[in-house]
Amino acid sequence: MEKNSIFKYSIKDLQEILINNNFNKFSAQQIFDWIYVKLETDFNNMTNLSKSLRDFLVQNFEAKPLSSLVIKESKDGTIKILFMLDDKRTIETVLMPQKYGQSVCVTTQVGCKMACKFCASGLIKTERNLETDEIVRQIFTMNCLLKEKYKDDLESPRARVSHIVVMGIGEPFDNFNNVMKFIDIINEPKGFQIGARHITLSTCGVVPKIIEFANMKTQINLAISLHASNNEIRNSMMPINKAFPIEKLIEAVKYYIQMTNRRITFEYILIDDVNDRREHALELAKLIRGINGYVNLIPYNEVEENPYKKSKKVDEFFKVLKKEGINAIVRKEFGADIDAACGQLRAKREGVIKNEI
Ligand code: SAH
């Protein structure tokens, strides 16, 4: 019989399973503590559980970390792992050390349907949603690695993942239910204890899902991949804009802020001669003026397979926004020496992978 991954259950789900099988529901907390705090993967070692419960868990569930195919560590401390899933598909996850803790960029899909022209993820042909447990296991496996790396200083904030950005491969709002369940699980105070305000989710602009997300009234940070100041440019870069043009997107953003009272992030990749002119900065300022948010200017990471080039006008663009009274920051680049940009490591491996495993 196939076993269920324990990583797909919230504490509430586990309580229900325990009750239905005549176990004490409070053991769900103990199981969460073993798995997510102690990082124990062998149910037999969970010594404060009854023998009958341990047997039940062994028979019905498994707690497997993801298998790591390639681990690359950058000079700046960024760690990138190419994981192999049980069906042999590969995904990548990046850990970025920050002043405030350890931040992990998670992947939510194998490949991506959104086909943004500038992004390497669209080059990956196989596509499917990741299951909840496959997203949770990215964090679990990173935590195992950090525990080993900081084994002499386990109290250090460096020894565990504290922040999550849902900005890896895939469109999280195209895999809404699994991503929300993932957030529910990592948010659990008895488990990884990653607070909603430490989680940032980025979307290319799936408007109905932004509304649905707003209605959930969470404290999770929302980032919008805007990347253009008008529909003409955005249409040329991002097919999603044809379904949900900028006006609809901005309306949804305003609704989100109204419902949650949270500040929004607008991501804006600066691409040479596409969206980086002074007039674009002015147009952007006009578009978002008055909205409780800020612009995250992202230096473009060039991808061999497309013609887009890095902008040379990042500072200039930044200054125009500032002068217009718009809050903006320039995003620090991580792990440029280890292909840390979206889909790059995986896209590069894709051709050779079959020969190597
Ligand atoms: N699908 C989601 C999340 C994944 S991409 C979204 O679109 O927001 C995370 C961010 O990286 C997005 O803002 C995306 O537009 C940006 N991105 C993609 N390819 C990039 C590249 N080559 N260089 C810089 N940023 C890139």
Side-chain angles (χ1 to χ4, degrees):
M1 193 186 72
E2 199 160 297
K3 294 182 181 181
N4 287 311
S5 172
I6 197 84
F7 295 109
K8 70 178 181 204
Y9 301 105
S10 68
I11 213 158
K12 272 213 185 79
D13 300 333
L14 274 186
Q15 285 171 346
E16 213 169 284
I17 292 170
L18 293 176
I19 292 168
N20 291 340
N21 289 278
N22 299 320
F23 291 104
N24 189 331
K25 81 169 198 182
F26 297 106
S27 297
Q29 290 192 8
Q30 294 170 307
I31 298 170
F32 252 65
D33 184 66
W34 278 108
I35 304 243
Y36 295 104
V37 180
K38 301 193 176 78
L39 307 182
E40 178 58 63
T41 54
D42 185 346
F43 298 118
N44 287 313
N45 292 342
M46 302 186 179
T47 44
N48 59 356
L49 306 182
S50 67
K51 175 79 171 77
S52 59
L53 177 53
R54 275 182 269 158
D55 289 344
F56 169 75
L57 293 172
V58 169
Q59 274 158 26
N60 295 286
F61 301 95
E62 59 182 14
K64 274 200 322 201
L66 289 175
S67 64
S68 309
L69 217 49
V70 184
I71 303 179
K72 285 192 176 189
E73 190 160 353
S74 156
K75 287 192 238 37
D76 62 19
T78 305
I79 298 174
K80 177 151 186 162
I81 308 184
L82 185 73
F83 286 121
M84 189 166 71
L85 306 173
D86 296 347
D87 64 0
K88 301 260 189 295
R89 291 189 161 111
T90 55
I91 55 165
E92 51 191 49
T93 306
V94 184
L95 174 122
M96 297 159 292
Q98 307 272 13
K99 277 194 214 82
Y100 48 76
Q102 299 279 30
S103 175
V104 165
C105 178
V106 294
T107 283
T108 54
Q109 296 181 308
V110 181
C112 183
K113 298 210 261 291
M114 298 299 148
C116 300
K117 296 261 166 56
F118 47 79
C119 180
S121 302
L123 299 168
I124 299 163
K125 295 199 180 50
T126 44
E127 275 169 19
R128 72 168 172 86
N129 280 338
L130 289 191
E131 297 298 331
T132 301
D133 71 279
E134 291 171 326
I135 317 177
V136 175
R137 283 154 79 204
Q138 294 173 48
I139 313 298
F140 183 86
T141 314
M142 278 292 183
N143 265 333
C144 294
L145 198 134
L146 289 174
K147 190 176 176 183
E148 177 56 28
K149 196 169 165 179
Y150 292 94
K151 58 176 181 286
D152 299 327
D153 187 15
L154 287 175
E155 292 307 306
S156 155
R158 291 257 164 259
R160 54 179 281 270
V161 175
S162 56
H163 291 69
I164 303 291
V165 290
V166 187
M167 293 190 186
I169 294 173
E171 168 49 47
F173 282 171
D174 194 31
N175 186 12
F176 195 83
N177 293 342
N178 292 348
V179 170
M180 291 307 138
K181 180 66 130 222
F182 153 75
I183 289 174
D184 197 19
I185 294 170
I186 61 164
N187 197 217
E188 172 54 48
K190 297 278 187 297
F192 281 155
Q193 215 187 337
I194 301 176
R197 286 167 184 250
H198 286 190
I199 302 171
T200 303
L201 184 148
S202 175
T203 177
C204 65
V206 187
V207 165
K209 294 294 174 189
I210 297 176
I211 308 283
E212 195 175 334
F213 187 61
N215 288 335
M216 290 167 66
K217 294 193 179 180
T218 73
Q219 291 298 296
I220 295 161
N221 304 301
L222 183 63
I224 305 286
S225 293
L226 187 60
H227 305 327
S229 54
N230 62 48
N231 281 322
E232 197 189 332
I233 301 176
R234 201 160 190 270
N235 281 339
S236 77
M237 299 160 79
M238 303 173 73
I240 187 81
N241 198 64
K242 294 188 181 133
F244 308 110
I246 288 186
E247 314 75 69
K248 293 271 178 255
L249 181 55
I250 295 292
E251 234 173 72
V253 163
K254 287 182 178 162
Y255 180 73
Y256 170 83
I257 294 170
Q258 187 193 328
M259 294 303 281
T260 62
N261 229 345
R262 301 286 292 156
R263 192 161 77 135
I264 202 104
T265 306
F266 293 106
E267 296 163 282
Y268 196 101
I269 310 175
L270 283 160
I271 303 177
D272 184 40
D273 214 26
V274 173
N275 63 358
D276 66 341
R277 290 201 284 266
R278 183 185 156 77
E279 72 223 46
H280 299 140
L282 293 171
E283 195 172 37
L284 175 63
K286 195 168 157 213
L287 182 68
I288 64 171
R289 180 161 288 123
I291 295 178
N292 179 19
Y294 73 100
V295 178
N296 196 344
L297 293 173
I298 309 173
Y300 181 58
N301 245 307
E302 291 177 15
V303 176
E304 267 167 43
E305 292 80 353
N306 75 46
Y308 293 126
K309 295 278 169 257
K310 227 183 222 330
S311 167
K312 298 171 201 81
K313 299 187 199 148
V314 177
D315 287 344
E316 226 174 296
F317 200 93
F318 173 77
K319 280 184 192 137
V320 178
L321 288 182
K322 281 289 186 196
K323 204 164 160 229
E324 288 295 307
I326 300 293
N327 285 322
I329 58 163
V330 177
R331 184 187 288 176
K332 199 178 142 204
E333 285 177 271
F334 285 96
D337 53 332
I338 56 164
D339 297 321
C342 316
Q344 287 190 342
L345 180 58
R346 186 170 183 274
K348 273 196 187 171
R349 290 278 301 187
E350 196 79 323
V352 291
I353 210 157
K354 287 187 188 68
N355 303 328
E356 289 186 22
I357 40 177

